[in-house]
Short mmCIF file of all heavy atoms in Angstrom, two decimals:
data_model
loop_
_atom_site.label_atom_id
_atom_site.label_comp_id
_atom_site.label_asym_id
_atom_site.label_seq_id
_atom_site.Cartn_x
_atom_site.Cartn_y
_atom_site.Cartn_z
N ARG A 771 -19.66 -1.10 16.39
CA ARG A 771 -19.38 0.12 15.56
C ARG A 771 -19.59 -0.20 14.07
O ARG A 771 -20.18 0.59 13.34
CB ARG A 771 -18.00 0.66 15.87
CG ARG A 771 -17.77 1.14 17.28
CD ARG A 771 -16.28 1.52 17.45
NE ARG A 771 -15.95 1.72 18.84
CZ ARG A 771 -15.52 2.82 19.39
NH1 ARG A 771 -15.39 3.90 18.62
NH2 ARG A 771 -15.21 2.88 20.65
N LEU A 772 -19.02 -1.30 13.66
CA LEU A 772 -19.11 -1.70 12.28
C LEU A 772 -20.55 -1.95 11.83
O LEU A 772 -20.98 -1.53 10.77
CB LEU A 772 -18.22 -2.94 11.97
CG LEU A 772 -16.75 -2.73 12.16
CD1 LEU A 772 -16.04 -4.07 12.19
CD2 LEU A 772 -16.18 -1.87 11.06
N ILE A 773 -21.31 -2.62 12.68
CA ILE A 773 -22.71 -2.85 12.38
C ILE A 773 -23.48 -1.54 12.24
O ILE A 773 -24.26 -1.35 11.34
CB ILE A 773 -23.36 -3.77 13.47
CG1 ILE A 773 -22.75 -5.18 13.40
CG2 ILE A 773 -24.89 -3.82 13.31
CD1 ILE A 773 -23.14 -6.07 14.57
N GLU A 774 -23.24 -0.66 13.18
CA GLU A 774 -23.92 0.64 13.15
C GLU A 774 -23.61 1.42 11.89
O GLU A 774 -24.44 2.08 11.33
CB GLU A 774 -23.54 1.46 14.39
CG GLU A 774 -24.29 2.81 14.51
CD GLU A 774 -23.87 3.57 15.75
OE1 GLU A 774 -23.28 2.95 16.67
OE2 GLU A 774 -24.21 4.75 15.84
N GLU A 775 -22.38 1.34 11.43
CA GLU A 775 -21.97 2.06 10.23
C GLU A 775 -22.18 1.34 8.95
O GLU A 775 -21.91 1.86 7.87
CB GLU A 775 -20.46 2.45 10.37
CG GLU A 775 -20.21 3.41 11.54
CD GLU A 775 -18.71 3.76 11.62
OE1 GLU A 775 -17.92 3.50 10.67
OE2 GLU A 775 -18.33 4.30 12.70
N GLY A 776 -22.60 0.06 9.02
CA GLY A 776 -22.81 -0.70 7.81
C GLY A 776 -21.55 -1.07 7.07
O GLY A 776 -21.55 -1.20 5.86
N LYS A 777 -20.46 -1.30 7.84
CA LYS A 777 -19.14 -1.63 7.24
C LYS A 777 -18.81 -3.09 7.42
O LYS A 777 -19.11 -3.70 8.46
CB LYS A 777 -18.08 -0.78 7.91
CG LYS A 777 -18.25 0.72 7.82
CD LYS A 777 -18.01 1.21 6.39
CE LYS A 777 -18.25 2.72 6.29
NZ LYS A 777 -17.28 3.49 7.14
N SER A 778 -18.27 -3.70 6.38
CA SER A 778 -17.82 -5.07 6.49
C SER A 778 -16.36 -5.14 7.01
O SER A 778 -15.64 -4.17 6.92
CB SER A 778 -17.86 -5.80 5.12
OG SER A 778 -17.02 -5.07 4.21
N ALA A 779 -16.03 -6.32 7.57
CA ALA A 779 -14.66 -6.47 8.13
C ALA A 779 -14.41 -7.96 8.38
O ALA A 779 -15.36 -8.77 8.41
CB ALA A 779 -14.50 -5.71 9.45
N SER A 780 -13.19 -8.27 8.61
CA SER A 780 -12.76 -9.67 8.92
C SER A 780 -12.13 -9.69 10.32
O SER A 780 -11.25 -8.89 10.62
CB SER A 780 -11.76 -10.13 7.89
OG SER A 780 -11.36 -11.46 8.18
N PHE A 781 -12.55 -10.65 11.13
CA PHE A 781 -11.98 -10.87 12.44
C PHE A 781 -11.26 -12.23 12.40
O PHE A 781 -11.79 -13.23 11.94
CB PHE A 781 -13.09 -10.94 13.49
CG PHE A 781 -13.75 -9.58 13.81
CD1 PHE A 781 -14.66 -9.07 12.91
CD2 PHE A 781 -13.46 -8.90 14.93
CE1 PHE A 781 -15.32 -7.86 13.20
CE2 PHE A 781 -14.06 -7.70 15.22
CZ PHE A 781 -15.00 -7.18 14.31
N LEU A 782 -10.05 -12.20 12.98
CA LEU A 782 -9.22 -13.40 13.06
C LEU A 782 -8.73 -13.62 14.47
O LEU A 782 -8.17 -12.66 15.07
CB LEU A 782 -8.05 -13.28 12.08
CG LEU A 782 -7.03 -14.44 12.07
CD1 LEU A 782 -7.70 -15.71 11.58
CD2 LEU A 782 -5.82 -14.07 11.24
N SER A 783 -8.95 -14.75 15.07
CA SER A 783 -8.44 -15.04 16.39
C SER A 783 -7.38 -16.14 16.32
O SER A 783 -7.49 -17.08 15.58
CB SER A 783 -9.59 -15.50 17.29
OG SER A 783 -10.51 -14.45 17.54
N ILE A 784 -6.36 -15.95 17.18
CA ILE A 784 -5.24 -16.90 17.22
C ILE A 784 -5.49 -17.89 18.38
O ILE A 784 -5.51 -17.46 19.53
CB ILE A 784 -3.90 -16.23 17.35
CG1 ILE A 784 -3.67 -15.19 16.26
CG2 ILE A 784 -2.74 -17.25 17.36
CD1 ILE A 784 -3.80 -15.77 14.81
N LEU A 785 -5.73 -19.09 18.07
CA LEU A 785 -6.12 -20.13 19.04
C LEU A 785 -4.97 -21.15 19.15
O LEU A 785 -3.84 -20.87 18.91
CB LEU A 785 -7.45 -20.78 18.70
CG LEU A 785 -8.61 -19.79 18.49
CD1 LEU A 785 -9.86 -20.58 18.14
CD2 LEU A 785 -8.83 -18.94 19.73
N THR A 786 -5.31 -22.39 19.51
CA THR A 786 -4.42 -23.52 19.48
C THR A 786 -5.21 -24.78 19.18
O THR A 786 -6.45 -24.74 19.28
CB THR A 786 -3.65 -23.74 20.85
OG1 THR A 786 -4.65 -24.25 21.79
CG2 THR A 786 -3.07 -22.48 21.38
N THR A 787 -4.58 -25.86 18.83
CA THR A 787 -5.29 -27.10 18.61
C THR A 787 -5.90 -27.67 19.85
O THR A 787 -6.69 -28.62 19.78
CB THR A 787 -4.38 -28.13 17.88
OG1 THR A 787 -3.22 -28.37 18.75
CG2 THR A 787 -3.91 -27.67 16.55
N TRP A 788 -5.57 -27.11 21.00
CA TRP A 788 -6.13 -27.60 22.22
C TRP A 788 -7.64 -27.37 22.29
O TRP A 788 -8.33 -27.98 23.08
CB TRP A 788 -5.56 -26.86 23.45
CG TRP A 788 -4.03 -26.90 23.46
CD1 TRP A 788 -3.19 -27.77 22.92
CD2 TRP A 788 -3.20 -25.90 24.12
NE1 TRP A 788 -1.90 -27.45 23.14
CE2 TRP A 788 -1.87 -26.24 23.85
CE3 TRP A 788 -3.45 -24.75 24.84
CZ2 TRP A 788 -0.78 -25.55 24.31
CZ3 TRP A 788 -2.40 -24.00 25.30
CH2 TRP A 788 -1.08 -24.38 25.07
N VAL A 789 -8.17 -26.48 21.44
CA VAL A 789 -9.62 -26.24 21.46
C VAL A 789 -10.39 -27.47 21.05
O VAL A 789 -11.58 -27.63 21.28
CB VAL A 789 -10.04 -25.08 20.53
CG1 VAL A 789 -9.31 -23.82 20.98
CG2 VAL A 789 -9.70 -25.36 19.05
N TRP A 790 -9.70 -28.49 20.41
CA TRP A 790 -10.33 -29.70 19.96
C TRP A 790 -10.15 -30.87 20.92
O TRP A 790 -10.93 -31.85 20.92
CB TRP A 790 -9.85 -30.07 18.57
CG TRP A 790 -10.22 -29.04 17.51
CD1 TRP A 790 -11.45 -28.53 17.30
CD2 TRP A 790 -9.34 -28.44 16.59
NE1 TRP A 790 -11.39 -27.58 16.25
CE2 TRP A 790 -10.11 -27.55 15.81
CE3 TRP A 790 -7.97 -28.61 16.29
CZ2 TRP A 790 -9.61 -26.78 14.74
CZ3 TRP A 790 -7.43 -27.84 15.25
CH2 TRP A 790 -8.24 -26.94 14.50
N ASN A 791 -9.04 -30.88 21.65
CA ASN A 791 -8.77 -32.06 22.50
C ASN A 791 -8.29 -31.75 23.85
O ASN A 791 -7.90 -32.61 24.62
CB ASN A 791 -7.71 -32.97 21.80
CG ASN A 791 -6.35 -32.37 21.76
OD1 ASN A 791 -6.22 -31.15 21.79
ND2 ASN A 791 -5.30 -33.24 21.70
N GLY A 792 -8.33 -30.46 24.28
CA GLY A 792 -7.95 -30.07 25.67
C GLY A 792 -6.46 -29.80 25.72
O GLY A 792 -5.64 -30.20 24.93
N GLY A 793 -6.13 -29.11 26.84
CA GLY A 793 -4.74 -28.71 27.09
C GLY A 793 -4.26 -29.05 28.46
O GLY A 793 -4.26 -28.18 29.37
N PRO A 794 -3.92 -30.29 28.71
CA PRO A 794 -3.39 -30.60 30.05
C PRO A 794 -2.16 -29.79 30.39
O PRO A 794 -1.32 -29.52 29.54
CB PRO A 794 -3.01 -32.11 29.93
CG PRO A 794 -2.90 -32.34 28.45
CD PRO A 794 -3.85 -31.42 27.83
N PHE A 795 -2.12 -29.29 31.65
CA PHE A 795 -1.09 -28.45 32.16
C PHE A 795 -1.17 -26.98 31.61
O PHE A 795 -0.34 -26.19 31.95
CB PHE A 795 0.32 -29.00 31.90
CG PHE A 795 0.52 -30.38 32.49
CD1 PHE A 795 0.54 -31.46 31.65
CD2 PHE A 795 0.61 -30.54 33.85
CE1 PHE A 795 0.71 -32.76 32.19
CE2 PHE A 795 0.77 -31.80 34.41
CZ PHE A 795 0.81 -32.90 33.56
N THR A 796 -2.17 -26.67 30.84
CA THR A 796 -2.48 -25.27 30.37
C THR A 796 -4.00 -25.09 30.39
O THR A 796 -4.57 -24.49 29.50
CB THR A 796 -1.94 -25.02 28.99
OG1 THR A 796 -2.46 -26.08 28.07
CG2 THR A 796 -0.42 -25.03 28.93
N VAL A 797 -4.65 -25.54 31.46
CA VAL A 797 -6.13 -25.58 31.48
C VAL A 797 -6.75 -24.20 31.37
O VAL A 797 -7.70 -24.01 30.62
CB VAL A 797 -6.58 -26.33 32.72
CG1 VAL A 797 -8.12 -26.14 32.98
CG2 VAL A 797 -6.30 -27.83 32.59
N PRO A 798 -6.26 -23.13 32.09
CA PRO A 798 -6.90 -21.84 31.92
C PRO A 798 -6.90 -21.31 30.51
O PRO A 798 -7.91 -20.80 30.01
CB PRO A 798 -6.11 -20.92 32.86
CG PRO A 798 -5.51 -21.85 33.90
CD PRO A 798 -5.23 -23.11 33.14
N SER A 799 -5.79 -21.51 29.81
CA SER A 799 -5.68 -21.08 28.42
C SER A 799 -6.56 -21.95 27.51
O SER A 799 -7.24 -21.44 26.62
CB SER A 799 -4.20 -21.14 27.96
OG SER A 799 -4.12 -20.85 26.58
N ALA A 800 -6.50 -23.25 27.74
CA ALA A 800 -7.30 -24.16 26.87
C ALA A 800 -8.81 -23.84 27.03
O ALA A 800 -9.53 -23.84 26.05
CB ALA A 800 -7.03 -25.61 27.26
N MET A 801 -9.28 -23.58 28.24
CA MET A 801 -10.66 -23.21 28.46
C MET A 801 -11.00 -21.90 27.75
O MET A 801 -12.02 -21.81 27.06
CB MET A 801 -10.96 -23.09 29.95
CG MET A 801 -10.90 -24.40 30.71
SD MET A 801 -11.05 -24.13 32.52
CE MET A 801 -12.71 -23.39 32.64
N SER A 802 -10.11 -20.90 27.88
CA SER A 802 -10.42 -19.60 27.32
C SER A 802 -10.37 -19.60 25.82
O SER A 802 -11.24 -19.00 25.20
CB SER A 802 -9.32 -18.57 27.85
OG SER A 802 -9.45 -18.50 29.26
N LYS A 803 -9.44 -20.29 25.23
CA LYS A 803 -9.33 -20.36 23.81
C LYS A 803 -10.48 -21.18 23.21
O LYS A 803 -10.96 -20.91 22.09
CB LYS A 803 -7.97 -20.87 23.34
CG LYS A 803 -6.84 -19.85 23.56
CD LYS A 803 -5.55 -20.32 23.03
CE LYS A 803 -4.46 -19.25 23.14
NZ LYS A 803 -4.69 -18.09 22.25
#
């Protein structure tokens, strides 16, 4: 929608540090994030 309307915006996602070294015992979340 923003691209179609030519509007700028900021997107922010909340992750975890597991995205860099993996998340043992939280594998589905670590994979998704």
Side-chain angles (χ1 to χ4, degrees):
R771 296 175 194 242
L772 294 167
I773 292 169
E774 182 178 347
E775 296 180 14
K777 302 289 179 63
S778 60
S780 179
F781 289 76
L782 177 66
S783 294
I784 305 303
L785 306 180
T786 72
T787 57
W788 309 334
V789 301
W790 296 310
N791 69 333
F795 302 106
T796 54
V797 166
S799 174
M801 291 174 65
S802 298
K803 286 185 178 290

